[in-house]
Amino acid sequence: MKMDRGAHKPVAARATILVASDNPSDAASVNDFLAQEFDQVVLSVDPDTAVEDFESRAPDVLVLAFSTLEDAERYYLGLYRLSATIHLQPHRTIVLCSTGNVRRAYQACRKDSFDDYVQFWPMTNDAPRLLMSVHHALRDLNAARDGASAAQFAAQARRLAKLGSMLDQQLAQGDQRIDVVHRSMAQAEQAIGTALDGLSSKLAQREWPDAHMAELEREIGQRFRAMAEVVSPIQQWADEFKQECAPHIASALTLNAMADCIRPTLLVVDDDDFQRVIVSQLFAKENYRLVFASGGVEALNILRVMQPDLILMDILMPDLDGIETTRRLKSMPQFAKVPVIMVTGKSEGVSVRDSLKAGATDFVVKPLDRDTLLAKVALALHS
């Protein structure tokens, strides 16, 4: 039965759906079902070409139709380990499961292994749910592409407030410099006046005409007045510019106050459960929202759906080390300016050098000192 494609045709026409599976028959069934509403559905069933299939197709939605959830997780983790571009391709993941695996599929999505799940087998239950899930994924992806997050707004508001403060300081310095010019001119005029009085007294003894002296004084006076007239428009411009900027600076400060109401999000990447507990305790009384990733692969996966304000990145991790993870996320334009603070058990020169080269802002050494950590986080967020 052919379904109505009109309502979603524009989105479907632009979207690429990649169905990955270890069972060609299942992949074909899913392909036929999705083809009812989506124009660009492609398959990937050969494990040897999994990375190539993903990179060449650059899918918007990845549908995982594997025999077990473990196989689906293994496939997706393999993409992150082996692909050099997966982190650059915004996409959403949907894992298919059977009736007996619904709970486990939910838990996998709950911990951000996948974005959504659909109980697809047996198909007599609610197979159309897959179509709706793909539509939801595309809407979510488009919203993420088009809309700025609260974290991005807060970061921009803080930068705007900082710009307003800098402008205010520059205007104040301009006023000071103009005032210095006025004072210098007044002092110079006074000094020249004193010198002319002395000169007049000496010339009088030699009977130099008073008319000549008066003419000299008028000439000097005219030159000072001309200089004052040159400075006066600058002072007027500065005053008018300051008045025009005043409401904008006030707006920037108001935005900054609003931004302070939004808790900065910190992504903490560490494979050590105990270390994550320690970090939670260190930030317990602070106004931060913490999101945790147990490794570099999971961190890159989380970054598909969220924009942190700062990342605390452990260096030594088994799946993808912190330096390589930082290098990859820094290659993504949307995360290029997100500060990354490396966390390491050693302050070795090589680790520090490689971390900074990968794009890290700073680093802290374990065991973590609370005051040092909080100070570095605050500095990185407001720099």
Side-chain angles (χ1 to χ4, degrees):
M1 179 180 66
K2 200 74 170 178
M3 293 191 176
D4 179 17
R5 302 168 63 180
H8 299 289
K9 177 68 173 180
V11 176
R14 295 191 302 270
T16 297
I17 317 299
L18 177 63
V19 179
S21 179
D22 55 359
N23 187 316
S25 177
D26 287 347
S29 297
V30 175
N31 175 83
D32 293 342
F33 191 79
L34 290 173
Q36 297 177 89
E37 290 200 22
F38 301 98
D39 296 338
Q40 301 181 55
V41 182
V42 292
L43 304 182
S44 177
V45 296
D46 185 349
D48 293 333
T49 62
V51 174
E52 180 184 348
D53 291 341
F54 185 93
E55 292 181 345
S56 63
R57 299 297 186 177
D60 298 284
V61 179
L62 175 62
V63 178
L64 302 165
F66 286 82
S67 301
T68 67
L69 289 176
E70 290 80 7
D71 289 336
E73 288 184 321
R74 193 177 300 112
Y75 163 86
Y76 196 47
L77 288 174
L79 286 183
Y80 269 99
R81 291 194 184 99
L82 302 174
S83 173
T85 61
I86 186 173
H87 58 286
L88 299 174
Q89 172 59 30
H91 63 281
R92 295 294 181 265
T93 54
I94 302 171
V95 63
L96 305 186
C97 66
S98 61
T99 305
N101 285 326
V102 169
R103 182 64 183 175
R104 292 176 59 195
Y106 161 77
Q107 292 172 343
C109 293
R110 186 70 178 82
K111 68 176 186 177
D112 294 322
S113 295
F114 311 110
D115 295 311
D116 199 2
Y117 70 93
V118 172
Q119 187 266 295
F120 192 73
W121 291 288
M123 293 180 65
T124 53
N125 285 310
D126 188 15
R129 177 69 180 81
L130 175 57
L131 299 174
M132 196 67 252
S133 184
V134 172
H135 283 303
H136 282 315
L138 292 174
R139 291 169 187 168
D140 180 59
L141 195 60
N142 288 331
R145 286 168 173 163
D146 298 337
S149 68
Q152 290 173 315
F153 159 75
Q156 294 299 329
R158 293 187 186 103
R159 293 190 184 99
L160 185 61
K162 185 177 181 180
L163 177 63
S165 178
M166 290 171 57
L167 181 60
D168 204 21
Q169 292 175 5
Q170 291 298 319
L171 288 172
Q173 292 178 6
D175 287 341
Q176 292 174 0
R177 292 190 177 99
I178 292 174
D179 187 52
V180 168
V181 172
H182 281 304
R183 290 201 305 269
S184 298
M185 290 175 59
Q187 292 171 359
E189 187 174 12
Q190 183 178 4
I192 292 176
T194 301
L196 287 175
D197 289 341
L199 178 62
S200 177
S201 176
K202 292 178 180 179
L203 291 177
Q205 296 176 5
R206 299 182 181 180
E207 299 181 352
W208 200 52
D210 291 341
H212 290 179
M213 192 64 203
E215 180 65 24
L216 179 60
E217 291 177 348
R218 281 197 298 274
E219 178 68 20
I220 293 174
Q222 289 175 356
R223 292 186 181 277
F224 269 101
R225 284 191 294 274
M227 291 175 62
E229 290 175 358
V230 170
V231 176
S232 180
I234 299 177
Q235 178 68 66
Q236 182 180 356
W237 169 83
D239 292 340
E240 292 175 352
F241 185 68
K242 192 171 184 178
Q243 291 177 359
E244 291 176 359
C245 287
H248 301 294
I249 293 175
S251 297
L253 294 175
T254 300
L255 281 175
N256 188 54
M258 294 171 61
D260 288 339
C261 296
I262 300 175
R263 291 193 303 163
T265 298
L266 310 185
L267 174 59
V268 182
V269 188
D270 199 309
D271 63 313
D272 188 335
D273 291 339
F274 181 68
Q275 191 66 28
R276 294 198 295 270
V277 172
I278 291 177
V279 173
S280 296
Q281 293 174 345
L282 293 177
F283 285 99
K285 296 182 180 180
E286 304 302 317
N287 189 35
Y288 295 115
R289 172 180 173 245
L290 300 183
V291 176
F292 293 93
S294 60
V297 170
E298 185 179 352
L300 292 174
N301 193 19
I302 289 175
L303 291 177
R304 294 185 301 105
V305 294
M306 67 164 289
Q307 172 95 17
D309 295 282
L310 181 142
I311 300 173
L312 284 175
M313 181 78 69
D314 188 33
I315 290 183
L316 297 178
M317 294 183 291
D319 58 354
L320 199 64
D321 68 66
I323 294 175
E324 177 60 26
T325 303
T326 300
R327 187 179 294 112
R328 292 195 188 188
L329 71 90
K330 284 295 180 178
S331 68
M332 305 163 72
Q334 66 269 38
F335 300 118
K337 294 184 179 180
V338 175
V340 178
I341 297 179
M342 308 301 288
V343 181
T344 178
K346 301 178 181 179
S347 56
E348 296 178 351
V350 175
S351 297
V352 174
R353 182 198 64 198
D354 291 345
S355 296
L356 295 176
K357 188 177 179 180
T361 303
D362 203 343
F363 74 97
V364 290
V365 180
K366 299 176 184 177
L368 298 175
D369 177 77
R370 182 176 184 274
D371 292 338
T372 300
L373 178 61
L374 294 180
K376 291 196 173 189
V377 168
L379 179 63
L381 286 173
H382 293 90
S383 61

